[in-house]
Amino acid sequence: MVRRTDTRQRMLDTAADLFQTQGYHATGLTQLTTAGGAPKGSLYFHFPGGKEQLATEAVRLSSERTGALLEAILDDAPDPATGIDRAVDALAGFLTGSDFQRGCPLATVALDAAAASEPIREACADGYASWHGVLSGYLAAQGLSAERADELATIVLAAIEGGLLLARTRRDLAPLRAVATHLHTTLDREFA
């Protein structure tokens, strides 16, 4: 039997998954509660702000999980180019493992709902900023100036994000692999 205290977390996990794969507007309240194994009334009990609050918290959860994964991958890498290669490999694995349904955990929601919801926009912006901070901090710790690390982190994040989007829409990892190859060369040159 599922404990009642698990309902909120189950709903968050379910929402994070559904919003990542379907987007905000394509995911209905009934689907969220049914997939989360919760009665419909529990959504408003746990998330008084309704679907918008649930989405905002789910985006934050997805962002934290992805940021922690990125940190772990980079911390374990022998050099920046290998670190980025491994991060891209992990993302490619999520894409193929989900039959190209799970790209970036923020992009689908950001494109779908951020313009109409300030809390969702802020959660997406904060998520991207946290990933940027992980990358920037890592690159600075590897010897780049703070300014150059910040600039290069933006390039890395934007390139991977674009590669994920193209790979997902094409249902082909080639764009993501091309981005990884280019970033590898750029980082090797940067740290030579």
Side-chain angles (χ1 to χ4, degrees), residues 93-102 168 171:
F94 295 142
L95 268 176
T96 57
S98 67
D99 194 30
F100 290 89
Q101 297 303 303
R102 286 182 189 85
R168 186 174 180 194
R171 299 181 61 78

Side-chain angles (χ1 to χ4, degrees), residues 65-163:
R65 288 177 175 169
T66 302
L69 175 65
L70 181 59
E71 279 187 55
I73 288 169
L74 294 175
D75 287 346
D76 192 46
D79 57 77
T82 302
I84 297 303
D85 285 346
R86 290 177 181 173
V88 169
D89 286 345
L91 295 168
F94 295 142
L95 268 176
T96 57
S98 67
D99 194 30
F100 290 89
Q101 297 303 303
R102 286 182 189 85
C104 171
L106 303 184
T108 305
V109 175
L111 293 170
D112 190 28
S117 168
E118 186 60 16
I120 293 173
R121 186 204 63 76
E122 286 177 3
C124 291
D126 291 347
Y128 283 123
S130 73
W131 299 346
H132 181 274
V134 168
L135 289 166
S136 181
Y138 173 76
L139 294 170
Q142 299 300 309
L144 292 183
S145 70
E147 182 179 324
R148 181 63 183 144
D150 181 69
E151 180 180 79
L152 194 53
T154 298
I155 292 165
V156 168
L157 184 58
I160 292 173
E161 189 70 17

Side-chain angles (χ1 to χ4, degrees), residues 173-191:
L173 292 178
L176 190 56
R177 295 292 180 212
V179 164
T181 299
H182 182 75
L183 290 174
H184 189 102
T185 301
T186 300
L187 290 167
D188 273 348
R189 186 174 46 237
E190 196 74 38
F191 288 94

